[in-house]
């Protein structure tokens, strides 16, 4: 099996910067990729949450509880970037508070923020 990773992530501060690169795994003729803009936007929008587990090959980001600036409620999130397309269907997000799942409106607002940030990153990259 040949593995090529353009982003090697660890728990250190440089992980978020390295995560902006597209991660690709090549195994035989199979290529698995995640959208680098959605990946980076997820880390950017959810930067107030501590990352506990991250896998660029499968597109999964798991966070611990963290409190956003100006709030007293702690949140936890799991992000799954399932496809290389810059599309809402590529993003799967689950969030919860210490007392249970967040409201649908909160979940949609965070998803919208991630997708908006991903579009901004793509435009800034000049690949439109």
């Amino acid at each position: 099996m040949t593995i090529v990773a353009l982003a090697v992530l660890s728990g250190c501060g440089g992980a978020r910067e390295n995560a902006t690169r597209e991660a690709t795994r090549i195994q035989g003729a199979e290529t698995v990729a995640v959208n680098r803009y959605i990946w980076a936007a997820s880390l950017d929008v959810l930067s107030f949450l501590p990352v506990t587990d991250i896998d660029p090959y499968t597109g999964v980001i798991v966070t611990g509880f963290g409190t956003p600036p100006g709030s007293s409620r702690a949140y936890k999130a799991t992000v799954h970037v399932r496809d290389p397309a810059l599309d809402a269907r590529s993003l799967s997000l689950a969030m919860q508070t210490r007392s249970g799942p967040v409201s649908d409106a909160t979940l949609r607002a965070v998803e919208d923020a991630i997708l908006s940030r991903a579009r901004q990153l793509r435009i800034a990259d000049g690949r439109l």
Side-chain angles (χ1 to χ4, degrees):
M1 170 175 27
T2 304
I3 296 177
V4 178
L6 299 177
V8 177
L9 303 173
S10 65
C12 61
R16 292 186 193 279
E17 290 144 19
N18 290 335
T20 61
R21 296 188 184 102
E22 184 176 13
T24 305
R25 177 177 63 187
I26 301 170
Q27 181 177 7
E30 176 187 357
T31 300
V32 179
V34 299
N35 184 281
R36 71 182 189 147
Y37 302 110
I38 295 176
W39 179 265
S42 297
L43 290 170
D44 192 24
V45 169
L46 300 173
S47 63
F48 65 93
L49 299 174
V51 175
T52 59
D53 192 20
I54 196 163
D55 186 355
Y57 298 117
T58 61
V60 175
I61 302 167
V62 179
T63 71
F65 282 101
T67 306
S71 176
S72 61
R73 179 172 281 177
Y75 295 93
K76 180 179 181 178
T78 301
V79 178
H80 185 200
V81 182
R82 300 181 298 214
D83 195 85
L86 180 53
D87 187 71
R89 293 173 293 181
S90 299
L91 175 65
S92 177
L93 176 66
M95 290 185 72
Q96 69 181 45
T97 63
R98 294 192 190 274
S99 60
V102 299
S103 69
D104 288 340
T106 301
L107 190 62
R108 265 187 252 109
V110 175
E111 286 174 341
D112 289 346
I114 290 170
L115 293 170
S116 292
R117 181 67 181 134
R119 285 190 283 284
Q120 290 171 352
L121 291 171
R122 182 170 180 202
I123 290 168
D125 199 20
R127 294 188 180 184
L128 280 181

